[in-house]
Amino acid sequence: MNDYRSVRVAVLGAGTVGSQVAAVLLERREELARRIGADIELVGVAVRRLDAPRDRELPRELLTTDAESLVLRADIVIELMGGIEPAKSLIERAIDGGADVVTGNKALIAAHGTELFERAERVGAAVYYEAAVAAAIPIIRPLRESLAGDNVTRILAIVNGSTNFILDRMHRFGDSAEAAQATALELGYLEADPTLDVEGYDAAQKAAILASLAFHTEIPADAVYREGITSVTADQVESARQAGYVIKLLAIVEKAVDADGAAGVSVRVYPALLNADHPLASVHGGNNAVFVEAEMAGPLMFYGAGAGGQETASAVLGDTVSAARRHVAGGPGIASSTHAELPVLPIGLVRTRYYITLTVTDRPGVLADVAGVFSRGGVSVQTVRQDVAEGDTAGTATLVIGTHAAGEAALRETVAALADNASVVGVESVLRVEGAE
Amino acid sequence: MNDYRSVRVAVLGAGTVGSQVAAVLLERREELARRIGADIELVGVAVRRLDAPRDRELPRELLTTDAESLVLRADIVIELMGGIEPAKSLIERAIDGGADVVTGNKALIAAHGTELFERAERVGAAVYYEAAVAAAIPIIRPLRESLAGDNVTRILAIVNGSTNFILDRMHRFGDSAEAAQATALELGYLEADPTLDVEGYDAAQKAAILASLAFHTEIPADAVYREGITSVTADQVESARQAGYVIKLLAIVEKAVDADGAAGVSVRVYPALLNADHPLASVHGGNNAVFVEAEMAGPLMFYGAGAGGQETASAVLGDTVSAARRHVAGGPGIASSTHAELPVLPIGLVRTRYYITLTVTDRPGVLADVAGVFSRGGVSVQTVRQDVAEGDTAGTATLVIGTHAAGEAALRETVAALADNASVVGVESVLRVEGAE
């Protein structure tokens, strides 16, 4: 490879993804050189413990515990440690030294992305982060570049494989929430502490990243309205299934207007009903999919594995090849773009549809009574289904009510008024319906 | 916009896509400038006739019939004329003058892509062509960049919306081939001369482009094995539907080995059976989808509209923004990569599965007779279904035979032997099955 220039690459972190990336950089060195037009030299892999067991064995002489020195010896720094610190400080150090950065760190990008992109832009470096959302599914690059001349209006996305696995088990196999979660844990879809996944924090970070890109606006993860899947029951899933719906944990980002008609952005994560014929409804198991609607392009969908060491490594290596090509030929990285500065609208301003299950007393006049609550709340009813449970002796019935689109605030007030209504024994379930026109 | 640098853009062709692109460049000039960090100045639109009617009205002073002069006044030339000449000469002239080129011209890229990319590389220019395959669906950029560190093993794609519309009508509405084609023509899915679509030429061009990118190998369109949909009948579609299949016109590119085990590439377009639960099976109407399998990333799917002026314009504008960003900051375009130089294998070496419908004489021993033909041909039978048509008085029966995977050459010889067999009245239908393991 004497006629190639050389690009020095450092990998920070040798966990599942990091050790895979480092191993591939070594194994496929010649093939990558041909694709890039330059040799990729792996100058070191920063680890916490030199003798820890790893998924892929790496040459001992490449390992170092001195990440701070390593980042200054590289043209491209691949950060796969995760978490905010020391990842952030090391990335800053790499950028200040003029290196490009490739990272899969969604927490860091969601919290400090704009700051890091601007820091990189000042020195002519670039930050690549395709692996931060939906693993190997190309979604960052399409949003940043392919749709750069179009206007995204809405994204509906399944970006957390663990919760999709759980909800899919419940939907397709009739598992209880507990059983589905136990299976997810057993098969490695969930961490020992599942909070980040099941409470929607992971999806909210990814929603923030997608929204920032789609709307050219800095959107921090804590501005994302978030509900997890812990309240979703097997009964809800079954009832949804019978009505032609699937329950999915959706990350939703869309352009919206506030009460005065001023433009804003809504970014939210919650379990919602999707029509069974929506393209996202057939995303099974631990897979991810991102459904993008743009003004000119119309609806697009990107589908694939949302996690996994190999899959994430594929995205990291794609970014690394891009960064290396740029390094060889000089020139720009992909610039950050937050010029739009749209406000994030509070959840109360979002317009959505509710799907409400009530237990009511089974006597004449109840339906009129309940309908009156919706009417006074300014919420229009689209569908009503009444079930009397078999063998019911308590004198109660079940009402399932689907609303037309209404403001979230009005819907919440209506649900509160239903709970207080004398005809209503209990509000059993409230879910939003998404993905319809 | 005084503090912005300026990028001069010329548009060649003002048809459906060209007039849309030019109009958006004018309408969204300020927003695009913010995204790019530079003003985009539309310096002219080359047309054949100054006074022709257009989808989008354009300022008269921008129109010119002198494309040759126009391309020398631009930093980015957007070619949307279609066809080989004069598009090729104008692009060469633009490249030689140092301009970047954005094109949606699949015929030109399939026939002369590598030549144009190399010409551009010599002068430090770049050629972008996201719009050449599957309109607004980002597939070129993901293959060129996102998967640049991975190895694509196979692509199954629906890349011709017209034929997908026709086959979908036949499958979902029971239309005859003639009725479906008439509807496609009426709704604008087909040109007055439908040959390019229905005979698979359009899909073959796109298959060649995808294969070149996926396998880093120059693959001309005429190296693609091609069958169109003109032989597909309503009976075949219905029989496939009953057996749990959908017939789709597939573009298939995959790594394969020849008889000696040497690596090669198979690139082919034909109508094939897909299992109804394959993700491509639910691609309806005029939509496109590209299903990519890569070593590390696993299966990925990209889905969206495969045609349309607005949709294609979205892809063209995304490329234009990318080219403009690169122009402002200097630096590399996306390089071509054909270093792998894999041979394209002849169709006879491809391994596939056949789904064969035979009319046979209805007497004892026929099944053994037919099975013997398969056995002697070295083709293993997976499924057999025998139907006696209602009210059949001719003493014939229908045999539907699904084979295991076998070489195309062996399968063809077996079908020929079946046609010659005394028990076989007629070979009614032969289709390949794709998308299975």
Side-chain angles (χ1 to χ4, degrees):
Chain A
M1 290 175 216
N2 296 331
D3 54 342
Y4 283 133
R5 276 162 293 184
S6 177
V7 181
R8 293 164 301 164
V9 174
V11 175
L12 309 183
T16 309
V17 181
S19 65
Q20 172 73 12
V21 166
V24 172
L25 287 175
L26 294 172
E27 282 164 13
R28 300 196 186 164
R29 185 168 177 172
E30 286 195 40
E31 169 66 15
L32 290 171
R34 279 191 292 267
R35 293 185 191 180
I36 294 162
D39 181 40
I40 291 235
E41 186 197 351
L42 180 60
V43 294
V45 180
V47 297
R48 260 181 304 200
R49 289 195 297 121
L50 292 174
D51 52 1
R54 316 198 185 282
D55 292 5
R56 301 289 308 264
E57 273 314 308
L58 299 171
R60 190 62 157 73
E61 66 272 19
L62 285 179
L63 303 184
T64 173
T65 54
D66 184 3
E68 300 225 328
S69 301
L70 178 61
V71 297
L72 298 183
R73 289 193 284 126
D75 303 308
I76 299 171
V77 172
I78 303 174
E79 184 275 309
L80 298 165
M81 313 169 87
I84 304 296
E85 284 296 350
K88 180 163 182 271
S89 300
L90 288 168
I91 285 176
E92 287 169 349
R93 196 174 161 87
I95 288 171
D96 293 348
D100 287 337
V101 171
V102 175
T103 175
N105 192 327
K106 57 188 169 286
L108 181 61
I109 294 296
H112 302 286
T114 304
E115 179 191 337
L116 293 173
F117 304 150
E118 285 171 2
R119 192 177 189 117
E121 218 169 339
R122 281 198 296 274
V123 299
V127 179
Y128 299 81
Y129 56 99
E130 185 63 72
V133 179
I137 307 173
I139 183 61
I140 302 299
R141 192 168 271 108
L143 286 175
R144 262 180 149 179
E145 300 187 61
S146 308
L147 291 167
D150 204 336
N151 290 321
V152 174
T153 50
R154 182 159 75 148
I155 298 176
L156 292 184
I158 295 171
V159 285
N160 181 272
S162 316
T163 48
N164 197 62
F165 178 87
I166 291 169
L167 293 173
D168 191 43
R169 291 286 306 186
M170 294 170 73
H171 182 84
R172 292 205 295 162
F173 303 102
D175 285 9
S176 70
E178 297 69 32
Q181 187 161 329
T183 307
L185 197 61
E186 195 182 315
L187 297 180
Y189 284 100
L190 272 182
E191 307 284 322
D193 174 5
T195 310
L196 283 180
D197 291 321
V198 300
E199 296 292 357
Y201 290 100
D202 174 82
Q205 287 171 349
K206 292 162 177 169
I209 293 172
L210 293 177
S212 299
L213 277 173
F215 301 129
H216 308 280
T217 291
E218 182 176 357
I219 294 172
D222 57 14
V224 178
Y225 178 81
R226 179 192 50 74
E227 294 175 23
I229 64 160
T230 49
S231 65
V232 177
T233 65
D235 280 352
Q236 285 180 329
V237 170
E238 176 57 19
S239 156
R241 202 182 63 72
Q242 284 175 16
Y245 292 113
V246 181
I247 299 182
K248 294 288 190 189
L249 183 68
L250 293 182
I252 302 166
V253 318
E254 61 186 344
K255 283 209 174 145
V257 291
D258 71 12
D260 302 324
V265 172
S266 166
V267 191
R268 50 199 205 268
V269 169
Y270 47 61
L273 300 180
L274 264 182
N275 247 308
D277 62 2
H278 191 282
L280 290 177
S282 50
V283 175
H284 299 308
N287 288 308
N288 280 192
V290 183
F291 188 81
V292 179
E293 294 170 67
E295 279 178 16
M296 290 190 285
L300 300 170
M301 191 167 86
F302 304 80
Y303 166 90
Q310 295 246 359
E311 293 81 355
T312 309
S314 172
V316 169
L317 287 162
D319 278 353
T320 304
V321 168
S322 294
R325 283 175 180 161
R326 152 181 144 73
H327 186 83
V328 172
I334 312 175
S336 138
S337 169
T338 58
H339 62 271
E341 294 181 353
L342 295 168
V344 178
L345 301 181
I347 186 76
L349 287 178
V350 170
R351 285 181 69 79
T352 179
R353 291 163 58 207
Y354 266 29
Y355 188 81
I356 304 165
T357 307
L358 302 174
T359 302
V360 296
T361 54
D362 189 16
R363 57 165 181 78
V366 164
L367 191 57
D369 211 11
V370 167
V373 176
F374 281 92
S375 168
R376 283 190 297 278
V379 173
S380 171
V381 170
Q382 185 179 39
T383 61
V384 179
R385 212 181 69 226
Q386 179 158 1
D387 296 329
V388 180
E390 268 183 73
D392 174 44
T393 53
T396 62
T398 300
L399 274 187
V400 181
I401 295 156
T403 76
H404 281 291
E408 173 82 17
L411 287 161
R412 287 191 184 186
E413 282 165 28
T414 302
V415 170
L418 285 168
D420 287 344
N421 189 280
S423 301
V424 175
V425 180
V427 177
E428 305 303 331
S429 160
V430 178
L431 285 163
R432 297 176 189 86
V433 182
E434 296 284 348
E437 291 319 297
Chain B
M1 289 174 216
N2 296 330
D3 54 342
Y4 283 133
R5 276 162 293 184
S6 178
V7 181
R8 292 163 303 163
V9 175
V11 175
L12 308 184
T16 309
V17 180
S19 65
Q20 173 73 13
V21 166
V24 172
L25 287 174
L26 294 172
E27 282 163 15
R28 300 197 184 162
R29 184 167 177 172
E30 287 195 40
E31 169 66 16
L32 290 171
R34 280 191 292 268
R35 293 186 190 178
I36 293 162
D39 180 40
I40 292 235
E41 186 197 351
L42 180 60
V43 294
V45 181
V47 295
R48 258 181 305 200
R49 289 194 297 120
L50 293 173
D51 53 2
R54 315 195 187 286
D55 292 5
R56 302 287 308 264
E57 273 314 307
L58 299 171
R60 189 61 157 73
E61 66 273 18
L62 286 179
L63 303 184
T64 173
T65 55
D66 183 3
E68 298 225 330
S69 301
L70 179 62
V71 297
L72 298 182
R73 289 193 285 126
D75 302 308
I76 299 172
V77 171
I78 304 175
E79 184 275 308
L80 296 166
M81 315 168 84
I84 303 297
E85 285 296 348
K88 180 163 182 272
S89 300
L90 288 167
I91 286 176
E92 286 168 350
R93 195 174 161 88
I95 289 171
D96 294 348
D100 287 338
V101 171
V102 175
T103 176
N105 192 328
K106 58 188 169 284
L108 181 61
I109 294 296
H112 303 286
T114 304
E115 179 191 337
L116 293 173
F117 305 151
E118 284 171 2
R119 191 177 190 116
E121 218 168 340
R122 280 200 294 275
V123 299
V127 178
Y128 299 81
Y129 55 99
E130 184 64 73
V133 180
I137 306 172
I139 182 62
I140 303 299
R141 192 168 270 106
L143 286 175
R144 262 181 149 178
E145 299 187 61
S146 308
L147 291 167
D150 204 337
N151 290 321
V152 172
T153 50
R154 184 160 73 148
I155 298 176
L156 292 184
I158 296 171
V159 285
N160 182 272
S162 317
T163 49
N164 196 63
F165 178 88
I166 291 169
L167 294 173
D168 191 44
R169 290 286 305 186
M170 293 170 72
H171 182 84
R172 292 203 295 163
F173 303 102
D175 285 10
S176 70
E178 297 69 32
Q181 186 163 329
T183 307
L185 197 61
E186 195 183 315
L187 297 180
Y189 283 101
L190 272 181
E191 307 285 322
D193 174 5
T195 309
L196 284 180
D197 291 320
V198 300
E199 295 293 358
Y201 290 100
D202 173 82
Q205 288 171 348
K206 292 162 178 170
I209 294 173
L210 293 176
S212 300
L213 277 172
F215 302 129
H216 308 279
T217 289
E218 182 177 358
I219 295 172
D222 56 15
V224 178
Y225 178 82
R226 180 192 50 75
E227 294 175 22
I229 64 161
T230 49
S231 65
V232 177
T233 64
D235 280 353
Q236 286 180 328
V237 171
E238 176 55 21
S239 155
R241 202 182 61 72
Q242 285 174 15
Y245 292 112
V246 182
I247 299 182
K248 295 288 189 189
L249 182 67
L250 294 182
I252 303 166
V253 317
E254 62 186 344
K255 281 210 175 144
V257 291
D258 69 14
D260 302 325
V265 172
S266 166
V267 192
R268 49 198 205 268
V269 169
Y270 46 62
L273 299 179
L274 265 183
N275 247 307
D277 61 2
H278 191 283
L280 290 177
S282 51
V283 175
H284 299 307
N287 287 308
N288 281 192
V290 184
F291 188 81
V292 179
E293 295 171 65
E295 279 177 17
M296 290 189 285
L300 300 169
M301 191 167 85
F302 305 80
Y303 167 92
Q310 295 247 357
E311 293 80 355
T312 309
S314 173
V316 169
L317 288 161
D319 277 352
T320 304
V321 168
S322 295
R325 284 176 180 160
R326 151 183 145 72
H327 187 82
V328 173
I334 311 174
S336 138
S337 169
T338 57
H339 62 272
E341 294 178 353
L342 294 168
V344 177
L345 300 181
I347 186 74
L349 287 178
V350 170
R351 285 181 70 79
T352 179
R353 291 165 57 207
Y354 266 28
Y355 188 82
I356 302 165
T357 307
L358 303 174
T359 302
V360 295
T361 54
D362 190 16
R363 58 162 181 79
V366 164
L367 192 56
D369 212 10
V370 167
V373 176
F374 281 93
S375 168
R376 284 190 296 279
V379 173
S380 171
V381 170
Q382 186 178 39
T383 60
V384 178
R385 212 180 69 226
Q386 179 157 5
D387 296 330
V388 179
E390 268 182 73
D392 175 44
T393 54
T396 63
T398 299
L399 275 186
V400 181
I401 296 156
T403 75
H404 281 288
E408 172 82 16
L411 287 162
R412 286 190 184 187
E413 282 165 27
T414 302
V415 170
L418 285 169
D420 287 343
N421 191 280
S423 300
V424 175
V425 179
V427 178
E428 306 302 332
S429 160
V430 177
L431 285 164
R432 299 177 188 84
V433 182
E434 296 285 347
E437 289 320 297

